[in-house]
């Protein structure tokens, strides 16, 4: 079972669902063209063709980082072809090169079974992350294919462990995150998803710890009473209390999870309820986007819509909310970072185009647009892909119209191709 392919099919099946009731200012697409900043050039692009079984790109919450511990960042690109690609910037040739293809657990066995009609084929990477999961000071790559973990051994990326419990029990995982959810000084692997089969005993959040050279289930969070599904959980100090929270969207609500070390469970706080498929929450990004030294919580919806929440000392209040009527689905295409090298973070949201917002002291103002993109992006990441100390924007399409090809792009401020 290709877990994120199943989730993507669920998304497609909801096309006919009525539009959500969220309210915001309608800004006509024709009026937005004047905001386009030609300084964002296409540093790299790749056409993956029209086949959705090959071309559609997947989101990775942490796809930019040093995954081979050479001191330089790499970019991970995953899709519906059972492979995770490692992209590296060649500073001499001024191009991104695909240096490695990583395959998931049981790749050869599942490929063999597929030939005899006994398998749907190798699992897709779905969601993926770069971070130090094993605690040895070096980064690993984790992906949602059976919670697989790969490590660079000096020559190649080696599968060092995986845990198939979720998939053996009728569940799926579209995304994963490496981080310290319980503030014990050790990173864990946070898997988000839920049941894909009726009655499956799989919770929406499953957390693994690397212990004795293997992945061991350490904690769970179950959205009791519903068959919820979490696509893209976020991790960070959402209420600025010094402790880490997990924020996720499930069953048309946004939930903040605080780890209770005494009771060894999560205390949950629902901060927003939504309606309809267009209101289903996806990405949750916890970062300081208004430069006040305190984190905000940025949430994307199918929408295309975003909400930005701020902790006021007592509750999470909506600081900003926006819907872009008539544009493509937003889904998981949301990130925060300084993309124009002005020292100020931007909020970037991708529908079929990319909206770049910046806090102006009183509100989030749309300062630029990138209109070269098309399709429902779902993929948008900010990070230093070319190791020049400045961030780029990586985007990719997960759904396109008939006659369009699936694409991936890297945009750079000031780049002149």
């Amino acid at each position: 079972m290709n877990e994120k392919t199943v989730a993507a099919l669920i998304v497609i099946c909801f096309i006919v669902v009525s539009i959500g009731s969220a309210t915001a200012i309608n800004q006509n697409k024709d009026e937005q063209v004047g905001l386009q900043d030609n300084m964002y050039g296409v540093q790299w692009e790749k056409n993956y063709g029209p086949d959705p079984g090959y071309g559609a790109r997947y989101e990775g919450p942490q796809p930019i980082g040093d995954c081979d511990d050479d001191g330089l960042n790499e970019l991970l690109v995953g899709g519906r072809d059972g492979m995770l690609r490692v992209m590296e910037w060649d500073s001499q040739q001024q191009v991104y090169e695909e240096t490695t293809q990583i395959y998931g657990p049981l790749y050869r066995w599942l490929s063999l079974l597929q030939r005899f009609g006994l398998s749907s084929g190798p699992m897709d990477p779905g969601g993926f992350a770069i971070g130090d999961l094993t605690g040895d000071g070096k980064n690993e790559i984790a992906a949602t294919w059976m919670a697989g973990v790969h490590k660079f051994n000096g020559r190649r990326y080696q599968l060092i462990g995986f845990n198939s419990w979720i998939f053996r029990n009728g569940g799926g995982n579209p995304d994963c995150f490496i981080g310290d959810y319980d503030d014990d000084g050790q990173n864990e692997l946070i898997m988000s998803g839920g049941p894909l089969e009726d009655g499956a005993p799989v919770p929406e959040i499953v957390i693994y710890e690397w212990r004795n050279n293997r992945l061991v289930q350490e904690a769970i969070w179950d959205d009791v009473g519903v068959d919820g599904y979490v696509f893209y959980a976020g991790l960070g100090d959402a209420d600025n209390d010094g402790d880490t929270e997990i924020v996720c969207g499930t069953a048309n609500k946004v939930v903040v999870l605080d780890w209770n070390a005494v009771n060894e469970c999560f205390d949950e706080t629902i901060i927003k309820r939504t309606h309809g498929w267009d209101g289903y929450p996806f990405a949750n990004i916890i970062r300081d986007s208004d430069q006040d030294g305190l984190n905000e919580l940025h949430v994307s919806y199918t929408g295309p819509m975003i909400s930005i929440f701020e902790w006021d000392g007592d509750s999470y209040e909506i600081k900003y909310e926006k819907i872009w009527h008539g544009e493509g689905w937003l889904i998981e295409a949301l990130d925060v970072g300084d993309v124009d090298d002005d020292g100020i973070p931007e909020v970037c949201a991708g529908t079929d185009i990319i909206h770049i917002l910046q806090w102006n002291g009183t509100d989030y103002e749309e300062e630029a647009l990138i209109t070269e993109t098309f399709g429902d992006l779902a993929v948008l990441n900010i990070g230093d892909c070319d190791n020049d100390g400045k961030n780029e924007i990586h985007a990719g399409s997960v759904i396109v119209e008939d006659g369009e090809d699936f694409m991936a792009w890297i945009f750079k401020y000031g780049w002149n191709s």
Side-chain angles (χ1 to χ4, degrees):
M1 179 184 297
N2 290 351
E3 73 281 2
K4 200 155 186 178
T5 298
V6 173
L9 290 175
I10 293 172
V11 170
I12 294 171
C13 288
F14 276 97
I15 288 177
V16 297
V17 177
S18 61
I19 296 175
S21 60
T23 60
I25 298 173
N26 182 10
Q27 188 170 359
N28 186 277
K29 199 168 180 179
D30 292 336
E31 297 173 353
Q32 295 172 332
V33 174
L35 291 172
Q36 182 178 356
D37 191 339
N38 293 325
M39 291 300 292
Y40 288 93
V42 179
Q43 189 184 37
W44 172 83
E45 64 181 356
K46 173 72 173 180
N47 187 321
Y48 289 96
D51 181 3
Y54 168 77
R57 302 298 93 193
Y58 284 147
E59 172 70 21
Q62 298 162 303
I64 302 170
D66 184 7
C67 55
D68 60 3
D69 293 289
D70 64 350
L72 300 173
N73 285 339
E74 288 79 35
L75 167 69
L76 303 180
V77 177
R80 295 183 198 162
D81 52 7
M83 290 185 290
L84 186 59
R85 295 164 168 81
V86 180
M87 310 293 298
E88 298 188 46
W89 175 251
D90 186 324
S91 59
Q92 292 184 338
Q93 300 295 323
Q94 295 283 286
V95 295
Y96 289 91
E97 294 184 341
E98 183 181 306
T99 58
T100 306
Q101 294 179 348
I102 300 176
Y103 300 89
L106 309 179
Y107 178 86
R108 296 184 185 278
W109 175 243
L110 292 173
S111 297
L112 177 62
L113 292 178
Q114 186 180 30
R115 294 174 58 184
F116 298 97
L118 301 175
S119 165
S120 59
M123 302 186 78
D124 298 335
F128 32 92
I130 300 172
D132 181 11
L133 180 60
T134 63
D136 65 351
K138 298 180 179 180
N139 286 334
E140 291 81 36
I141 295 173
T144 59
W145 43 28
M146 299 188 194
V149 181
H150 286 77
K151 191 175 189 67
F152 192 72
N153 63 12
R155 296 183 300 110
R156 63 186 180 89
Y157 292 92
Q158 179 182 3
L159 180 68
I160 62 172
F162 68 97
N163 192 311
S164 63
W165 179 84
I166 292 170
F167 308 102
R168 287 186 286 108
N169 285 275
N173 287 118
D175 287 300
C176 64
F177 203 99
I178 295 174
D180 185 6
Y181 79 97
D182 58 359
D183 299 300
D184 66 349
Q186 173 68 45
N187 284 338
E188 292 84 24
L189 178 60
I190 297 104
M191 306 286 290
S192 55
L196 290 177
E197 299 175 4
D198 290 340
V202 176
E204 285 76 7
I205 298 289
V206 178
I207 299 175
Y208 293 105
E209 180 185 48
W210 186 259
R211 188 188 310 161
N212 298 322
N213 293 318
R214 64 192 183 97
L215 288 173
V216 178
Q217 190 177 124
E218 180 178 86
I220 65 168
W221 176 72
D222 188 12
D223 191 8
V224 177
V226 301
D227 290 329
Y229 203 80
V230 174
F231 286 91
Y232 184 155
L235 189 71
D237 187 2
D239 58 3
N240 301 289
D241 64 349
D243 295 328
T244 303
E245 287 83 37
I246 295 174
V247 183
C248 60
T250 174
N252 282 109
K253 58 183 179 289
V254 181
V255 184
V256 177
L257 304 176
D258 287 271
W259 179 247
N260 186 322
V262 175
N263 296 327
E264 294 189 337
C265 65
F266 285 102
D267 297 328
E268 61 185 68
T269 302
I270 299 173
I271 66 172
K272 183 179 176 68
R273 293 186 182 274
T274 62
H275 304 280
W277 181 244
D278 273 24
Y280 203 95
F282 274 79
N284 299 269
I285 311 295
I286 305 170
R287 292 199 185 109
D288 179 11
S289 61
D290 64 1
Q291 289 195 300
D292 65 349
L294 302 174
N295 286 331
E296 286 75 42
L297 168 58
H298 312 76
V299 181
S300 66
Y301 310 85
T302 313
M305 175 181 170
I306 64 170
S307 299
I308 301 178
F309 299 86
E310 188 172 59
W311 177 257
D312 66 1
D314 183 58
S315 62
Y316 293 92
E317 299 295 329
I318 294 179
K319 185 183 183 76
Y320 177 83
E321 199 159 77
K322 179 71 178 181
I323 184 169
W324 289 280
H325 294 285
E327 296 187 13
W329 284 352
L330 204 147
I331 318 179
E332 297 173 326
L334 180 69
D335 207 351
V336 177
D338 181 8
V339 296
D340 58 5
D341 198 37
D342 63 352
I344 302 173
E346 283 79 33
V347 178
C348 296
T351 58
D352 52 326
I353 60 179
I354 298 174
H355 298 265
I356 300 175
L357 313 174
Q358 189 176 86
W359 179 253
N360 63 15
T362 57
D363 199 5
Y364 287 91
E365 179 182 6
E366 189 161 70
E367 67 172 16
L369 286 174
I370 297 175
T371 58
E372 288 90 342
T373 54
F374 57 86
D376 299 302
L377 295 182
V379 176
L380 192 152
N381 310 110
I382 297 172
D384 185 7
C385 302
D386 62 5
N387 299 288
D388 68 346
K390 302 176 183 180
N391 287 330
E392 290 76 45
I393 301 172
H394 168 234
S397 52
V398 68
I399 302 172
V400 295
E401 299 289 340
D402 290 342
E404 293 179 339
D405 292 339
F406 292 93
M407 296 287 296
W409 302 266
I410 294 177
F411 296 96
K412 187 175 184 66
Y413 187 80
W415 182 261
N416 188 344
S417 57

